[in-house]
Amino acid sequence: MKDTEQKPPTPNEVVDIMLEKDAFSAWLGLQIDEVKAGFCKLHFTVRADMLNGFSVIHGGALFSASDSAFAFACNSHGRITLALEVSINFTRPAKAGEILTVTANEIYLGNKTGVYDIRTTNEAGELVAVFKGTAYRTSATIK
């Protein structure tokens, strides 16, 4: 590395940079438990204002928490990375007061794309949602 080149940020530094301006993840109450290259684990508590008309978590809240974990995992390499395609399957409901854990795992990393498996579980370890994301890796570095 040349003296004038900056060392890329660590995965934890990337998350800190991202969270500085991410008011939505803060509103969701996401708590980062662990982040490393290609991986993020976080948790949050389901609140009453996250429920749908049937008193279970709104799919949008699950999607958003999964999307945030996806973003933290795919940007952890220090390159600005954006979602190309995502999908989600809801497998069981969650109610207010439950603590949900969201784990994002990188399953493929190429020069321009990455593929991620994001799973949300409840306190009993039961699967609540499965999110799959494909990301586009730009050449720009996170600063």
Side-chain angles (χ1 to χ4, degrees):
M1 184 179 294
K2 295 179 187 173
D3 290 340
T4 58
E5 290 181 32
Q6 283 191 355
K7 195 168 120 180
T10 66
N12 284 307
E13 290 169 337
V14 168
V15 169
D16 289 343
I17 291 166
M18 293 174 71
L19 285 174
E20 279 180 30
K21 297 179 182 174
D22 188 350
F24 195 73
S25 289
W27 177 82
L28 284 170
L30 303 182
Q31 300 294 312
I32 308 298
D33 298 317
E34 183 182 1
V35 65
K36 55 188 176 186
F39 176 86
C40 178
K41 181 178 178 183
L42 58 82
H43 72 276
F44 69 104
T45 302
V46 179
R47 301 186 314 258
D49 61 350
M50 295 176 174
L51 302 180
N52 65 20
F54 300 106
S55 298
V56 297
I57 193 167
H58 193 287
L62 285 169
F63 184 97
S64 296
S66 297
D67 190 46
S68 288
F70 170 49
F72 299 141
C74 67
N75 280 282
S76 64
H77 298 286
R79 284 171 54 182
I80 295 175
T81 305
L82 307 165
L84 276 175
E85 185 274 333
V86 297
S87 63
I88 192 165
N89 296 100
F90 305 110
T91 58
R92 81 175 56 251
K95 297 184 183 267
E98 287 188 56
I99 297 171
L100 301 181
T101 299
V102 185
T103 306
N105 283 293
E106 186 173 83
I107 56 176
Y108 168 78
L109 182 66
N111 184 45
K112 287 292 184 182
T113 62
V115 179
Y116 297 79
D117 177 71
I118 298 91
R119 295 181 182 249
T120 301
T121 56
N122 61 21
E123 294 167 271
E126 300 166 317
L127 190 63
V128 174
V130 178
F131 179 108
K132 179 189 168 216
T134 301
Y136 173 72
R137 304 179 73 216
T138 72
S139 58
T141 57
I142 296 171
K143 299 176 186 170

